[in-house]
Amino acid sequence: MTSSAHETRRNQFVLPTRRGFLGAVALGAGVTVLAACGDDGAAGAGGDGGQAEVTFLSIIPAASISMSPELLAETGGHFSKHGLKVNIQVTQGSPPAIQTVMAGSALITKIGDIETITAISDKNAPLVNLGGVEKQGLLRFMSSKRKPLTKAEDFRGVTMGLPSAGGTSEKTLDLVLASAGIPKDSVQRQVVGLAPGVFELVKSGRIDGYIVSLDTSLSVLKQQPEAVAFAPSSAVSAGVQLYVTSTRQSEDAGKQDQIRRFLQAISDSIKFMIDDEKNDFKETIRLIGTKYDVPAFKDPAVAVEALKLFVKSWTVDGPEKIVQTNPQSWQATYDEMVKSQLVAGGKDPSKWMTDKFAPTAS
């Protein structure tokens, strides 16, 4: 990515200012937590005991199994080993996370490829993809054996339950439909939330399926013998979770070393969990549990099964490519989004990613 390309997007971007950032916060999300975020630019040179202090933004609750790489990097000492004191802050959803990173109040966030491509392509957001971490979509579409949804073609004419309207789940559904040439409007949608009892709506026939996270799907499969799970990653490339910063911070010499050390610590954390798989992740769960109460860890069988699937997702391109973006998959996701009319075509997504901060294999 060239400096001139960055400068062009920066000039076109709509909300890089302090006023824009506060406006986004006022619209809804994470006011208290975001207000607690410091300016990483000020904290980076100092820190605790000589460590550089940086802020990482999570769009989901911190005590989540999906946050295992970051939580273990903290509790297992990987951040500390690489000279970082990482403040894990939570914000509600991708828009405020993007705004906070662009405002320079956080160094890095982890969001989806769909949100990242949408923000850059259609809103000229000056963001850069630093590396994919969860490289296979970890959403699941639940249905029942009464009317199983096991491939994209099965979704024609069904009624799907969504956790919210217009979010990642619905966009993923649209991409699955597009992969089979099914018109969006052929599928009815209902917002059903994330309550544990949603599967009862499937059993009663009020909806044919609904969308949940990986760990929730494992719990439903364990509790409901008639439940069926469909992985959208079997039909589409989209669904990657990746680390993102602003182009401005990626070009800041004072931040580049922090970004590189953060990604290396995450890579070390994931490699620890890969080695711990033979031990049913006992040390991983113990270390994270010293500080965080992760709900999925309360059922060891579900936790182990979920972490095995996370390991598969982190290493789908090979263990030497942990926390790196697959350029072909990145291009394929953009093409899918253009095909389904989620973003405009004719752009070059390779300019929106970089591997210059990628972890080393050691």
Side-chain angles (χ1 to χ4, degrees):
M1 189 180 294
T2 65
S3 297
S4 59
H6 290 171
E7 192 61 35
T8 299
R9 280 198 297 277
R10 186 179 302 146
N11 291 340
Q12 292 175 337
F13 176 58
V14 179
L15 292 172
T17 64
R18 179 72 172 167
R19 174 179 296 177
F21 165 64
L22 292 175
V25 172
L27 286 175
V31 173
T32 301
V33 173
L34 287 174
C37 293
D39 183 340
D40 277 1
D48 181 23
Q51 295 179 326
E53 188 169 353
V54 302
T55 299
F56 166 77
L57 281 186
S58 173
I59 63 172
I60 59 175
S64 165
I65 196 169
S66 300
M67 285 283 290
S68 294
E70 295 84 5
L71 301 187
L72 184 63
E74 179 189 9
T75 58
H78 301 292
F79 283 142
S80 178
K81 174 187 173 184
H82 290 283
L84 295 179
K85 183 179 187 301
V86 176
N87 301 311
I88 298 176
Q89 302 282 356
V90 178
T91 185
Q92 297 176 358
S94 301
I98 289 171
Q99 292 289 344
T100 306
V101 166
M102 288 192 298
S105 296
L107 181 62
I108 294 173
T109 186
K110 183 170 75 173
I111 58 177
D113 49 1
I114 295 174
E115 293 81 3
T116 304
I117 290 175
T118 299
I120 299 174
S121 175
D122 285 7
K123 300 180 181 178
N124 296 312
L127 300 173
V128 58
N129 169 11
L130 300 169
V133 54
E134 292 158 12
K135 301 181 181 180
Q136 288 182 323
L138 297 174
L139 291 177
R140 293 293 185 269
F141 294 1
M142 305 304 298
S143 62
S144 74
K145 294 177 180 176
R146 173 186 59 81
K147 188 176 183 179
L149 306 176
T150 59
K151 57 184 182 300
E153 290 77 6
D154 293 339
F155 287 80
R156 188 184 299 275
V158 305
T159 298
M160 286 294 293
L162 304 170
S164 62
T168 299
S169 297
E170 185 166 18
K171 291 177 181 177
T172 303
L173 172 61
D174 290 340
L175 292 173
V176 169
L177 297 177
S179 73
I182 300 172
K184 295 179 185 179
D185 58 7
S186 74
V187 172
Q188 296 185 39
R189 300 134 198 262
Q190 291 185 15
V191 175
V192 296
L194 295 168
V198 174
F199 193 75
E200 294 299 322
L201 300 178
V202 179
K203 291 170 68 175
S204 68
R206 292 179 59 186
I207 58 176
D208 297 304
Y210 67 108
I211 303 174
V212 298
S213 63
L214 169 65
D215 51 323
T216 299
S217 77
L218 294 174
S219 296
V220 174
L221 289 170
K222 184 177 180 181
Q223 298 166 8
Q224 304 284 349
E226 65 269 45
V228 174
F230 168 76
S233 60
S234 65
V236 298
S237 293
V240 169
Q241 293 288 307
L242 44 89
Y243 292 111
V244 169
T245 191
S246 66
T247 51
R248 188 186 300 275
Q249 293 192 100
S250 74
E251 295 168 346
D252 183 336
K255 303 290 182 65
Q256 291 178 340
D257 184 55
Q258 295 174 7
I259 293 171
R260 191 170 286 108
R261 284 187 277 158
F262 179 94
L263 297 183
Q264 187 67 55
I266 293 296
S267 176
D268 291 352
S269 173
I270 289 175
K271 288 176 181 176
F272 181 95
M273 287 186 275
I274 292 171
D275 291 340
D276 197 30
E277 182 173 354
K278 60 181 178 296
N279 191 38
D280 284 340
F281 304 102
K282 286 185 173 62
E283 189 63 6
T284 297
I285 293 172
R286 186 192 71 78
L287 286 167
I288 293 176
T290 59
K291 181 171 181 179
Y292 296 96
D293 185 15
V294 178
F297 288 173
K298 298 184 186 304
D299 187 330
V302 169
V304 170
E305 183 62 22
L307 285 171
K308 285 182 177 179
L309 292 172
F310 273 104
V311 167
K312 182 179 179 181
S313 178
W314 297 326
T315 60
V316 70
D317 293 322
E320 74 283 1
K321 296 289 186 181
I322 293 172
V323 199
Q324 297 183 35
T325 298
N326 183 318
Q328 290 75 38
S329 298
W330 180 244
Q331 177 71 53
T333 296
Y334 172 71
D335 292 341
E336 288 172 352
M337 293 178 69
V338 172
K339 180 181 178 181
S340 63
Q341 299 180 332
L342 290 178
V343 296
K347 300 183 180 180
D348 181 2
S350 68
K351 295 181 178 178
W352 307 336
M353 57 170 281
T354 181
D355 60 0
K356 69 180 182 180
F357 306 110
T360 63
S362 60

